[in-house]
Amino acid sequence: MSDLLKNKNILIMGVRNKWSIAWGIAQAAKAQGANLIFTYLGDREKESLLKLTSDMGEIDAYPCDVGSEEDMDSLFSAIKSKYGVLHGLVHAIAFAKSEDLQDTFVNTSKDGFRLAMDISVYSFIDVAKRAQELMTEGGSILTLTYRGSVKVSPGYNIMGVAKAALEASVRYASYELGNKNIRVNAISAGPIKTMSAKGVKNFSDILDVVEKKAPLKRNVTLEDLGKTAVYLLGDLSSGLTGEIIYIDAGYNIMGV
Ligand SMILES: NC(=O)c1ccc[n+]([C@@H]2O[C@H](COP(=O)([O-])OP(=O)(O)OC[C@H]3O[C@@H](n4cnc5c(N)ncnc54)[C@H](O)[C@@H]3O)[C@@H](O)[C@H]2O)c1
Protein backbone atom coordinates (compact mmCIF):
# COMPACT_ATOMS: atom_id res chain seq x y z
CA MET A 1 0.00 0.00 0.00
CA SER A 2 1.14 3.50 -0.79
CA ASP A 3 -0.33 6.71 0.57
CA LEU A 4 -1.35 9.04 -2.25
CA LEU A 5 -4.85 9.27 -0.75
CA LYS A 6 -3.97 8.81 2.92
CA ASN A 7 -6.45 10.42 5.34
CA LYS A 8 -8.78 11.36 2.51
CA ASN A 9 -12.47 10.61 2.97
CA ILE A 10 -13.79 9.56 -0.41
CA LEU A 11 -17.39 8.83 -1.29
CA ILE A 12 -17.81 6.16 -3.97
CA MET A 13 -21.20 6.02 -5.69
CA GLY A 14 -22.01 3.31 -8.22
CA VAL A 15 -20.57 -0.06 -7.16
CA ARG A 16 -23.02 -2.62 -8.51
CA ASN A 17 -20.69 -5.63 -8.71
CA LYS A 18 -17.09 -6.65 -9.35
CA TRP A 19 -17.24 -5.43 -12.95
CA SER A 20 -18.32 -1.90 -11.99
CA ILE A 21 -15.99 0.95 -12.84
CA ALA A 22 -16.64 2.35 -9.36
CA TRP A 23 -15.29 -0.88 -7.88
CA GLY A 24 -12.09 -0.57 -9.90
CA ILE A 25 -11.71 2.97 -8.58
CA ALA A 26 -12.54 1.94 -5.00
CA GLN A 27 -9.84 -0.74 -5.02
CA ALA A 28 -7.23 1.63 -6.38
CA ALA A 29 -8.18 4.36 -3.89
CA LYS A 30 -8.12 1.92 -0.98
CA ALA A 31 -4.65 0.73 -1.99
CA GLN A 32 -3.53 4.37 -1.68
CA GLY A 33 -4.84 4.66 1.87
CA ALA A 34 -8.22 6.38 1.30
CA ASN A 35 -11.05 6.09 3.83
CA LEU A 36 -13.87 4.91 1.63
CA ILE A 37 -17.55 5.61 2.08
CA PHE A 38 -19.92 3.75 -0.27
CA THR A 39 -23.49 4.09 -1.45
CA TYR A 40 -25.61 1.29 -2.87
CA LEU A 41 -28.92 1.03 -4.69
CA GLY A 42 -31.17 -1.66 -3.24
CA ASP A 43 -30.55 -4.81 -1.22
CA ARG A 44 -28.94 -6.77 -4.03
CA GLU A 45 -26.29 -4.14 -4.51
CA LYS A 46 -25.76 -3.92 -0.76
CA GLU A 47 -25.14 -7.66 -0.55
CA SER A 48 -22.74 -7.53 -3.48
CA LEU A 49 -20.88 -4.57 -1.96
CA LEU A 50 -20.52 -6.29 1.41
CA LYS A 51 -19.10 -9.39 -0.27
CA LEU A 52 -16.66 -7.40 -2.39
CA THR A 53 -15.40 -5.39 0.57
CA SER A 54 -15.23 -8.29 3.03
CA ASP A 55 -11.44 -8.01 3.28
CA MET A 56 -11.54 -4.23 3.83
CA GLY A 57 -12.70 -4.59 7.43
CA GLU A 58 -15.86 -2.80 8.44
CA ILE A 59 -17.02 -0.48 5.69
CA ASP A 60 -19.35 2.45 5.76
CA ALA A 61 -22.18 2.14 3.25
CA TYR A 62 -25.42 4.04 2.82
CA PRO A 63 -28.47 3.35 0.69
CA CYS A 64 -28.94 6.00 -1.97
CA ASP A 65 -31.23 6.29 -4.94
CA VAL A 66 -29.98 9.53 -6.45
CA GLY A 67 -33.48 10.27 -7.67
CA SER A 68 -34.67 10.45 -4.06
CA GLU A 69 -34.29 13.77 -2.25
CA GLU A 70 -34.76 11.95 1.03
CA ASP A 71 -31.93 9.45 0.37
CA MET A 72 -29.60 12.25 -0.70
CA ASP A 73 -30.44 14.31 2.40
CA SER A 74 -29.78 11.42 4.76
CA LEU A 75 -26.59 10.36 2.96
CA PHE A 76 -24.95 13.76 3.19
CA SER A 77 -26.13 14.46 6.70
CA ALA A 78 -24.77 11.07 7.82
CA ILE A 79 -21.41 11.85 6.21
CA LYS A 80 -21.39 15.29 7.80
CA SER A 81 -22.02 14.00 11.28
CA LYS A 82 -19.64 11.05 11.05
CA TYR A 83 -16.71 12.56 9.11
CA GLY A 84 -17.25 16.33 9.04
CA VAL A 85 -15.02 16.65 5.99
CA LEU A 86 -15.15 15.05 2.55
CA HIS A 87 -12.11 15.14 0.25
CA GLY A 88 -13.26 13.19 -2.78
CA LEU A 89 -16.38 12.01 -4.55
CA VAL A 90 -16.73 9.50 -7.37
CA HIS A 91 -20.01 9.66 -9.29
CA ALA A 92 -20.21 6.50 -11.41
CA ILE A 93 -23.93 6.45 -12.03
CA ALA A 94 -26.03 6.45 -15.17
CA PHE A 95 -29.38 5.12 -16.23
CA ALA A 96 -31.55 5.02 -19.35
CA LYS A 97 -34.62 2.96 -20.11
CA SER A 98 -33.66 -0.12 -22.08
CA GLU A 99 -36.22 0.67 -24.78
CA ASP A 100 -34.51 4.01 -25.38
CA LEU A 101 -31.23 2.18 -25.96
CA GLN A 102 -32.77 -0.44 -28.21
CA ASP A 103 -35.00 1.74 -30.43
CA THR A 104 -33.85 4.46 -32.82
CA PHE A 105 -32.69 7.74 -31.24
CA VAL A 106 -35.47 9.89 -32.67
CA ASN A 107 -37.98 7.62 -30.96
CA THR A 108 -36.63 8.54 -27.50
CA SER A 109 -39.63 9.02 -25.22
CA LYS A 110 -40.08 12.24 -23.27
CA ASP A 111 -40.31 10.24 -20.10
CA GLY A 112 -37.14 8.29 -20.98
CA PHE A 113 -35.31 11.52 -21.80
CA ARG A 114 -36.24 13.03 -18.44
CA LEU A 115 -35.28 9.93 -16.51
CA ALA A 116 -31.90 9.54 -18.23
CA MET A 117 -31.07 13.22 -17.67
CA ASP A 118 -32.27 13.11 -14.08
CA ILE A 119 -30.30 10.04 -13.00
CA SER A 120 -27.24 10.48 -15.22
CA VAL A 121 -26.79 14.27 -15.15
CA TYR A 122 -28.85 16.06 -12.51
CA SER A 123 -27.61 13.61 -9.87
CA PHE A 124 -24.08 14.81 -10.61
CA ILE A 125 -25.02 18.47 -10.14
CA ASP A 126 -26.88 17.54 -6.98
CA VAL A 127 -23.97 15.62 -5.43
CA ALA A 128 -21.56 18.41 -6.38
CA LYS A 129 -23.80 20.92 -4.59
CA ARG A 130 -24.00 18.78 -1.48
CA ALA A 131 -20.36 17.64 -1.47
CA GLN A 132 -18.97 21.20 -1.70
CA GLU A 133 -20.47 21.94 1.72
CA LEU A 134 -18.32 19.18 3.20
CA MET A 135 -15.18 19.83 1.13
CA THR A 136 -13.92 22.47 3.51
CA GLU A 137 -10.29 21.47 2.94
CA GLY A 138 -10.64 21.52 -0.85
CA GLY A 139 -11.56 18.42 -2.79
CA SER A 140 -11.90 16.49 -5.99
CA ILE A 141 -15.13 15.44 -7.68
CA LEU A 142 -14.97 12.88 -10.41
CA THR A 143 -17.54 11.48 -12.82
CA LEU A 144 -17.53 8.98 -15.67
CA THR A 145 -18.40 9.74 -19.24
CA TYR A 146 -18.12 8.18 -22.70
CA ARG A 147 -17.13 9.51 -26.14
CA GLY A 148 -20.69 8.89 -27.34
CA SER A 149 -21.13 12.47 -26.04
CA VAL A 150 -19.15 13.95 -28.92
CA LYS A 151 -19.28 11.28 -31.64
CA VAL A 152 -22.16 9.13 -32.77
CA SER A 153 -21.99 5.67 -31.28
CA PRO A 154 -25.02 3.91 -32.81
CA GLY A 155 -27.31 2.61 -30.05
CA TYR A 156 -25.85 4.85 -27.33
CA ASN A 157 -28.69 7.25 -28.15
CA ILE A 158 -30.05 9.24 -25.20
CA MET A 159 -26.97 8.34 -23.13
CA GLY A 160 -24.85 10.25 -25.65
CA VAL A 161 -26.99 13.32 -25.07
CA ALA A 162 -26.86 12.81 -21.31
CA LYS A 163 -23.07 12.46 -21.37
CA ALA A 164 -22.75 15.68 -23.40
CA ALA A 165 -24.77 17.45 -20.69
CA LEU A 166 -22.70 15.76 -18.00
CA GLU A 167 -19.45 16.97 -19.56
CA ALA A 168 -20.79 20.53 -19.77
CA SER A 169 -21.83 20.21 -16.12
CA VAL A 170 -18.26 19.24 -15.22
CA ARG A 171 -17.02 22.48 -16.77
CA TYR A 172 -19.63 24.69 -15.10
CA ALA A 173 -19.18 23.05 -11.70
CA SER A 174 -15.40 23.27 -11.94
CA TYR A 175 -15.68 26.98 -12.70
CA GLU A 176 -17.91 27.64 -9.71
CA LEU A 177 -16.15 25.44 -7.19
CA GLY A 178 -12.60 26.39 -8.13
CA ASN A 179 -12.45 29.21 -5.60
CA LYS A 180 -12.93 26.64 -2.85
CA ASN A 181 -10.08 24.57 -4.27
CA ILE A 182 -12.55 21.91 -5.32
CA ARG A 183 -11.59 20.36 -8.63
CA VAL A 184 -14.12 18.69 -10.92
CA ASN A 185 -13.15 16.34 -13.72
CA ALA A 186 -14.42 13.40 -15.75
CA ILE A 187 -12.82 10.27 -17.04
CA SER A 188 -14.06 9.39 -20.50
CA ALA A 189 -13.64 5.64 -20.28
CA GLY A 190 -13.21 3.26 -23.16
CA PRO A 191 -15.83 0.51 -23.30
CA ILE A 192 -15.81 -1.95 -20.40
CA LYS A 193 -18.16 -4.90 -20.06
CA THR A 194 -20.34 -3.91 -17.11
CA MET A 195 -24.03 -4.41 -16.36
CA SER A 196 -24.82 -0.92 -17.65
CA ALA A 197 -22.85 -1.50 -20.85
CA LYS A 198 -24.83 -4.64 -21.56
CA GLY A 199 -27.86 -2.41 -22.11
CA VAL A 200 -26.20 -0.85 -25.16
CA LYS A 201 -27.00 -2.59 -28.46
CA ASN A 202 -24.03 -4.36 -30.10
CA PHE A 203 -21.73 -3.53 -27.21
CA SER A 204 -19.34 -6.40 -27.94
CA ASP A 205 -18.84 -5.05 -31.48
CA ILE A 206 -17.64 -1.79 -29.91
CA LEU A 207 -15.12 -3.73 -27.79
CA ASP A 208 -13.84 -5.50 -30.91
CA VAL A 209 -13.44 -2.28 -32.89
CA VAL A 210 -11.51 -0.56 -30.07
CA GLU A 211 -9.21 -3.54 -29.64
CA LYS A 212 -8.44 -3.53 -33.33
CA LYS A 213 -8.09 0.22 -33.89
CA ALA A 214 -6.89 1.83 -30.65
CA PRO A 215 -3.19 2.76 -30.60
CA LEU A 216 -2.62 0.42 -27.65
CA LYS A 217 -4.43 -2.42 -29.49
CA ARG A 218 -6.48 -3.38 -26.46
CA ASN A 219 -9.44 -2.34 -24.38
CA VAL A 220 -8.97 -0.59 -21.07
CA THR A 221 -9.27 -2.33 -17.72
CA LEU A 222 -10.67 -1.36 -14.34
CA GLU A 223 -7.04 -1.03 -13.21
CA ASP A 224 -6.35 1.57 -15.94
CA LEU A 225 -9.34 3.59 -14.77
CA GLY A 226 -8.49 3.13 -11.08
CA LYS A 227 -4.99 4.51 -11.56
CA THR A 228 -6.25 7.63 -13.32
CA ALA A 229 -8.90 8.10 -10.64
CA VAL A 230 -6.18 8.03 -7.95
CA TYR A 231 -4.36 10.74 -9.88
CA LEU A 232 -7.52 12.85 -10.21
CA LEU A 233 -8.62 12.37 -6.60
CA GLY A 234 -5.24 13.17 -5.13
CA ASP A 235 -2.69 15.93 -5.03
CA LEU A 236 -0.79 14.81 -8.15
CA SER A 237 -3.48 16.54 -10.25
CA SER A 238 -3.58 19.71 -8.09
CA GLY A 239 -3.58 22.06 -11.10
CA LEU A 240 -6.17 20.19 -13.13
CA THR A 241 -9.87 20.95 -13.24
CA GLY A 242 -12.76 21.04 -15.70
CA GLU A 243 -11.20 18.35 -17.88
CA ILE A 244 -12.56 15.34 -19.68
CA ILE A 245 -9.70 12.84 -19.66
CA TYR A 246 -9.86 10.00 -22.16
CA ILE A 247 -8.73 6.68 -20.78
CA ASP A 248 -9.51 4.57 -23.81
CA ALA A 249 -6.23 3.08 -25.03
CA GLY A 250 -6.04 6.12 -27.33
CA TYR A 251 -9.08 5.20 -29.43
CA ASN A 252 -10.49 8.76 -29.43
CA ILE A 253 -7.61 10.19 -31.47
CA MET A 254 -8.33 7.93 -34.43
CA GLY A 255 -9.96 9.35 -37.56
CA VAL A 256 -10.64 6.02 -39.22
N1 LIG B 1 -18.97 0.46 -19.03
C1 LIG B 1 -18.58 1.32 -19.96
O1 LIG B 1 -18.21 0.94 -21.08
C2 LIG B 1 -18.54 2.78 -19.66
C3 LIG B 1 -17.79 3.63 -20.48
C4 LIG B 1 -17.76 4.99 -20.19
C5 LIG B 1 -18.47 5.49 -19.13
N2 LIG B 1 -19.19 4.64 -18.33
C6 LIG B 1 -19.92 5.21 -17.19
O2 LIG B 1 -19.41 4.68 -15.99
C7 LIG B 1 -20.38 4.84 -14.97
C8 LIG B 1 -20.50 3.54 -14.19
O3 LIG B 1 -21.11 2.54 -14.99
P1 LIG B 1 -20.57 1.05 -15.11
O4 LIG B 1 -20.28 0.82 -16.54
O5 LIG B 1 -19.54 0.78 -14.09
O6 LIG B 1 -21.89 0.20 -14.83
P2 LIG B 1 -22.53 -0.42 -13.50
O7 LIG B 1 -23.83 -0.98 -13.97
O8 LIG B 1 -21.60 -1.36 -12.85
O9 LIG B 1 -22.74 0.83 -12.55
C9 LIG B 1 -23.77 1.74 -12.72
C10 LIG B 1 -24.23 2.16 -11.34
O10 LIG B 1 -25.23 3.18 -11.46
C11 LIG B 1 -26.14 2.96 -10.40
N3 LIG B 1 -27.42 3.64 -10.54
C12 LIG B 1 -28.29 3.58 -11.59
N4 LIG B 1 -29.40 4.29 -11.27
C13 LIG B 1 -29.23 4.78 -10.00
C14 LIG B 1 -30.00 5.55 -9.11
N5 LIG B 1 -31.23 5.97 -9.43
N6 LIG B 1 -29.48 5.86 -7.91
C15 LIG B 1 -28.26 5.43 -7.54
N7 LIG B 1 -27.48 4.68 -8.33
C16 LIG B 1 -27.95 4.36 -9.54
C17 LIG B 1 -26.30 1.45 -10.41
O11 LIG B 1 -26.95 1.03 -9.24
C18 LIG B 1 -24.87 1.00 -10.55
O12 LIG B 1 -24.26 0.90 -9.28
C19 LIG B 1 -21.67 5.27 -15.68
O13 LIG B 1 -21.79 6.68 -15.60
C20 LIG B 1 -21.38 4.87 -17.11
O14 LIG B 1 -22.15 5.62 -18.04
C21 LIG B 1 -19.24 3.30 -18.58
Side-chain angles (χ1 to χ4, degrees):
M1 188 175 105
S2 192
D3 58 7
L4 289 172
L5 300 177
K6 198 173 167 201
N7 298 327
K8 290 198 187 283
N9 300 327
I10 296 180
L11 176 61
I12 308 270
M13 307 180 79
V15 177
R16 187 197 296 270
N17 54 35
K18 67 177 178 181
W19 294 287
S20 294
I21 292 174
W23 177 238
I25 293 175
Q27 286 175 289
K30 183 75 186 170
Q32 295 296 333
N35 304 323
L36 299 182
I37 307 157
F38 292 92
T39 62
Y40 56 85
L41 181 66
D43 289 344
R44 198 151 151 210
E45 219 167 85
K46 179 181 183 186
E47 213 176 289
S48 163
L49 180 67
L50 292 179
K51 248 188 228 159
L52 285 172
T53 54
S54 57
D55 61 355
M56 286 185 178
E58 201 162 309
I59 61 142
D60 213 8
Y62 301 90
C64 184
D65 177 339
V66 292
S68 156
E69 192 79 10
E70 204 184 323
D71 280 8
M72 294 282 266
D73 286 348
S74 26
L75 168 66
F76 282 90
S77 84
I79 296 174
K80 186 175 183 180
S81 55
K82 182 152 180 189
Y83 299 88
V85 180
L86 194 60
H87 303 97
L89 186 147
V90 177
H91 172 275
I93 288 174
F95 184 80
K97 284 183 171 187
S98 62
E99 55 266 38
D100 287 325
L101 297 174
Q102 298 302 321
D103 203 345
T104 55
F105 172 67
V106 291
N107 276 335
T108 304
S109 61
K110 191 179 268 196
D111 184 42
F113 178 90
R114 286 181 174 150
L115 187 63
M117 295 297 277
D118 185 22
I119 303 302
S120 317
V121 186
Y122 183 73
S123 68
F124 170 74
I125 302 169
D126 200 8
V127 294
K129 176 183 74 185
R130 294 165 187 270
Q132 61 154 347
E133 306 280 327
L134 305 182
M135 291 183 163
T136 48
E137 299 173 1
S140 172
I141 299 175
L142 176 58
T143 188
L144 271 300
T145 185
Y146 181 62
R147 84 189 274 276
S149 60
V150 288
K151 298 286 177 191
V152 174
S153 192
Y156 201 57
N157 294 5
I158 179 58
M159 276 314 300
V161 175
K163 292 305 192 191
L166 180 69
E167 291 174 19
S169 305
V170 164
R171 291 185 283 272
Y172 278 91
S174 74
Y175 168 68
E176 284 185 1
L177 303 185
N179 62 4
K180 295 183 173 178
N181 196 26
I182 298 171
R183 299 178 297 105
V184 187
N185 294 289
I187 292 177
S188 184
I192 299 230
K193 216 177 207 167
T194 62
M195 279 295 279
S196 293
K198 282 185 188 161
V200 177
K201 218 168 31 177
N202 302 327
F203 184 75
S204 38
D205 294 347
I206 302 176
L207 287 171
D208 290 345
V209 170
V210 171
E211 190 174 338
K212 218 184 281 165
K213 294 194 173 173
L216 295 181
K217 297 286 174 269
R218 65 172 178 88
N219 277 289
V220 290
T221 61
L222 292 185
E223 289 73 25
D224 292 322
L225 301 177
K227 284 189 256 186
T228 302
V230 164
Y231 162 71
L232 290 173
L233 289 167
D235 197 51
L236 288 179
S237 59
S238 55
L240 185 90
T241 193
E243 291 296 337
I244 313 300
I245 300 190
Y246 281 83
I247 304 297
D248 65 347
Y251 181 70
N252 75 93
I253 67 164
M254 300 306 294
V256 285

